[in-house]
Amino acid sequence: MNNLVWFRNDLRVRDNISLAKACSGNQVLGIYCFDPVLFRIGDYGFKKTERFRARFLIETIIQLKDNLKKLNIPLFVYVDNPEKRIPKFIGEHDVHTVFLQKEWTQEENETRDAVVAKVSSSVNFEESYDQFLFHPDDIPYVSFQQIPRVFTKFRKKCETYTRVRPVLESPKAKPSTNLIENNTVVPSLRDLGLSNLSNDTRTAFPFQGGETNAQKRVQDYFWETQKLAFYKKTRNGLVGQGYSSKLSPWLANGSISARTIYWEVKEFERTVKKNQDTYWLVFELIWRDFFKYVSLKHGNQIFRIEGILNKKYDWKTSKKITEQWISGQTEDPFINANMREIARTGWMSNRGRQNVASFWSRVLEQDWRIGAAYFESMLLDYDVHSNWGNWMYNSGVGNDPRNRIFNSKRQAERYDPNGKFQALWLQETLF
Ligand SMILES: Cc1cc2nc3c(=O)[nH]c(=O)nc-3n(C[C@H](O)[C@H](O)[C@H](O)COP(=O)(O)OP(=O)(O)OC[C@H]3O[C@@H](n4cnc5c(N)ncnc54)[C@H](O)[C@@H]3O)c2cc1C
């Protein structure tokens, strides 16, 4: 009888609840499916996953496979729908229990249900929430319906009543006897129907995917350069790798846990420095949790045009305006610079994201979901809850109590006073 870990957005060996639970059994196998659905055109006309995140994911799976191999756990990798591949795999490999991270958005639920429906009822599925800083069982709310609409309320209550769980001990290697042969290979971009990608030297995210690379980034940002000690002062930056932690792409696919980062901050505070800046990184991780709880509370409402506020606006949809926004050819140079950055690198700063989202939805009055779907396609760090939650927030249909519209000219003057960022991205015609 084998235990199977079905990896989804928990692509790590360290501090992985499903893997730790599976390792209590004798023989452990891992499976990962590159689901072709995620590389096709979605509802708004964009590929659900473009090359930037696809390549990052490939790099991530290569490292996961290597790291699991060191524990004598084979990772079987397929380009196939989970609902087709996993039931077959379970049948062929005498699987007793499947361990997986609990997701709750519609597409992920449908995929899981389709897998469960196709396997014998004697196979157990054990799901664990593993993407949070504050575990859902530990928060001071009896049900998700009680999650407040305003972030500050949520943060203060959780900070008072909830402790972040410790990081799990790393699993011990399994015996190397009876290893099951694994001839599966990690696909290339081409295997996923995508063309190759050349690197843009201007990128603020020059890193590769994978758990080991995530740990290296923590090592560098926290310990070697000690940039964490200045985080709050630099986090609104626009140019280069140092202005913020850049941990989001690894967090989004679970190459590193939020708990690991939290405890690393605590260690830094204990041994190097504790200040507003070190606290602020945790503050931002709480934002990340908040959007997950908003999505748990509101379900599919986060994808609807009225958002969670049920607000009606006169949304427009213009193909021409969409093309101008995407290609960075609007009348606003600061918006254009940011849009060119994401088109060329899959990355955009938080300051940039707020501005282009507000410009798209509040100034151009275009259907905010088109912008969110474009981000979903392009972003290296796409995370369903953070993306759709932040888009709602910036589009006047979400959690912003102030319902702000960004003045991009003033924002450019404040955050790009010498025009360095704009010069970097506007110096050439890209399209
Ligand atoms: C329109 C829009 C769309 C966004 N889409 C995504 C997305 O798909 N995935 C994503 O991870 N973030 C998203 N964000 C949030 C934020 O922009 C990024 O998390 C951040 O820029 C990542 O850079 P960093 O890792 O250097 O962040 P840091 O400033 O170093 O922050 C540390 C971590 O805190 C979390 N965090 C920071 N700000 C936010 C925030 N506003 N909301 C949620 N979590 C936050 C991230 O996990 C981040 O890695 C979006 C923001 C906007 C305005």
Side-chain angles (χ1 to χ4, degrees):
M1 289 278 192
N2 293 317
N3 282 340
L4 177 67
V5 182
W6 172 10
F7 287 94
R8 301 205 285 178
N9 287 321
D10 55 345
L11 303 175
R12 63 180 182 275
V13 163
R14 280 175 65 175
D15 197 34
N16 182 325
I17 295 178
S18 296
L19 180 65
K21 284 183 179 169
C23 281
S24 61
N26 229 352
Q27 183 93 35
V28 184
L29 312 173
I31 192 165
Y32 183 80
C33 293
F34 284 84
D35 188 343
V37 171
L38 297 180
F39 300 92
R40 292 201 194 118
I41 307 278
D43 291 345
Y44 296 93
F46 308 111
K47 277 204 171 145
K48 279 180 86 74
T49 311
E50 261 299 347
R51 294 178 297 168
F52 303 109
R53 192 165 69 258
R55 185 174 70 178
F56 193 79
L57 183 58
I58 289 168
E59 291 158 359
T60 304
I61 296 300
I62 291 172
Q63 280 197 354
L64 180 65
K65 202 167 184 232
D66 281 354
N67 289 344
L68 285 168
K69 205 171 171 192
K70 290 178 196 147
L71 302 175
N72 293 321
I73 298 172
L75 179 69
F76 293 82
V77 181
Y78 300 97
V79 180
D80 205 353
N81 308 111
E83 61 271 33
K84 279 196 202 137
R85 178 59 62 171
I86 295 179
K88 195 163 165 248
F89 186 92
I90 288 173
E92 288 167 358
H93 291 90
D94 191 22
V95 170
H96 177 259
T97 304
V98 182
F99 296 87
L100 68 159
Q101 174 165 289
K102 186 166 174 59
E103 307 284 350
W104 56 89
T105 28
Q106 186 175 335
E107 288 169 10
E108 285 72 13
N109 277 348
E110 284 171 0
T111 305
R112 183 212 46 214
D113 292 347
V115 171
V116 174
K118 284 191 188 164
V119 299
S120 148
S121 57
S122 64
V123 177
N124 303 316
F125 282 78
E126 193 166 333
E127 294 180 281
S128 311
Y129 284 119
D130 203 11
Q131 55 276 75
F132 291 89
L133 183 65
F134 298 129
H135 193 282
D137 290 346
D138 303 343
I139 57 168
Y141 300 98
V142 180
S143 81
F144 296 134
Q145 291 317 311
Q146 291 181 353
I147 300 292
R149 191 160 75 77
V150 177
F151 169 70
T152 309
K153 267 190 169 177
F154 170 81
R155 174 181 61 80
K156 287 191 172 157
K157 202 159 173 192
C158 289
E159 282 178 336
T160 310
Y161 295 108
T162 311
R163 293 284 158 268
V164 176
R165 294 184 178 186
V167 167
L168 299 170
E169 268 183 43
S170 295
K172 306 242 174 337
K174 296 272 126 197
S176 57
T177 45
N178 304 326
L179 264 187
I180 296 174
E181 201 182 351
N182 177 12
N183 295 320
T184 63
V185 288
V186 181
S188 63
L189 278 177
R190 189 186 277 265
D191 296 330
L192 300 175
L194 297 161
S195 55
N196 270 336
L197 192 56
S198 56
N199 293 326
D200 190 308
T201 53
R202 296 168 297 179
T203 185
F205 192 92
F207 313 108
Q208 293 194 350
E211 173 171 23
T212 314
N213 290 324
Q215 287 157 14
K216 266 195 208 149
R217 177 61 183 168
V218 170
Q219 187 61 27
D220 183 63
Y221 188 78
F222 284 44
W223 303 104
E224 274 153 36
T225 62
Q226 302 198 349
K227 291 208 162 89
L228 175 61
F230 307 95
Y231 167 70
K232 187 161 182 262
K233 297 174 199 75
T234 60
R235 58 178 283 275
N236 281 308
L238 298 161
V239 180
Q241 48 169 284
Y243 61 80
S244 63
S245 77
K246 304 286 159 64
L247 286 167
S248 54
W250 291 292
L251 271 167
N253 72 18
S255 303
I256 192 165
S257 72
R259 290 181 298 266
T260 301
I261 298 171
Y262 173 87
W263 287 112
E264 204 83 24
V265 172
K266 293 289 138 192
E267 184 61 11
F268 185 89
E269 288 179 338
R270 199 177 64 76
T271 56
V272 182
K273 190 172 225 166
K274 180 177 173 161
N275 57 16
Q276 267 289 307
D277 299 81
T278 56
Y279 164 69
W280 216 260
L281 196 81
V282 175
F283 177 98
E284 294 298 339
L285 289 175
I286 304 175
W287 263 112
R288 178 177 173 274
D289 261 25
F290 179 61
F291 283 121
K292 294 192 183 299
Y293 284 108
V294 167
S295 136
L296 271 166
K297 176 178 177 182
H298 294 281
N300 276 345
Q301 202 66 31
I302 67 167
F303 303 116
R304 302 219 169 101
I305 195 157
E306 315 80 15
I308 59 169
L309 277 193
N310 249 319
K311 260 224 147 135
K312 303 247 182 309
Y313 291 97
D314 184 16
W315 296 107
K316 303 178 177 66
T317 52
S318 154
K319 241 190 160 147
K320 189 167 163 226
I321 292 178
T322 308
E323 276 160 20
Q324 286 170 343
W325 183 69
I326 285 178
S327 60
Q329 291 179 26
T330 71
E331 284 170 4
D332 188 310
F334 186 55
I335 299 300
N336 294 346
N338 279 292
M339 293 306 292
R340 291 179 191 198
E341 182 185 23
I342 194 175
R344 289 297 296 261
T345 65
W347 181 263
M348 193 191 291
S349 68
N350 184 53
R351 187 53 45 188
R353 294 181 203 200
Q354 289 174 310
N355 272 279
V356 304
S358 171
F359 188 79
W360 173 254
S361 59
R362 311 305 299 273
V363 178
L364 302 174
E365 298 180 330
Q366 298 292 305
D367 182 343
W368 66 273
R369 298 168 306 167
I370 299 172
Y374 178 65
F375 267 39
E376 171 167 351
S377 174
M378 300 300 286
L379 278 178
L380 273 160
D381 65 10
Y382 171 69
D383 167 282
V384 55
H385 322 288
S386 288
N387 189 58
W388 290 80
N390 271 291
W391 265 96
M392 282 196 303
Y393 190 95
N394 282 282
S395 306
V397 294
N399 304 71
D400 186 359
R402 288 171 289 177
N403 198 13
R404 282 165 296 180
I405 301 181
F406 282 74
N407 179 330
S408 52
K409 304 246 170 341
R410 249 189 274 144
Q411 290 272 309
E413 280 160 19
R414 181 159 174 203
Y415 296 104
D416 190 26
N418 306 316
K420 191 174 156 200
F421 172 72
Q422 289 165 85
L424 187 65
W425 294 102
L426 300 178
Q427 67 195 352
E428 58 167 15
T429 308
L430 295 175
F431 296 90

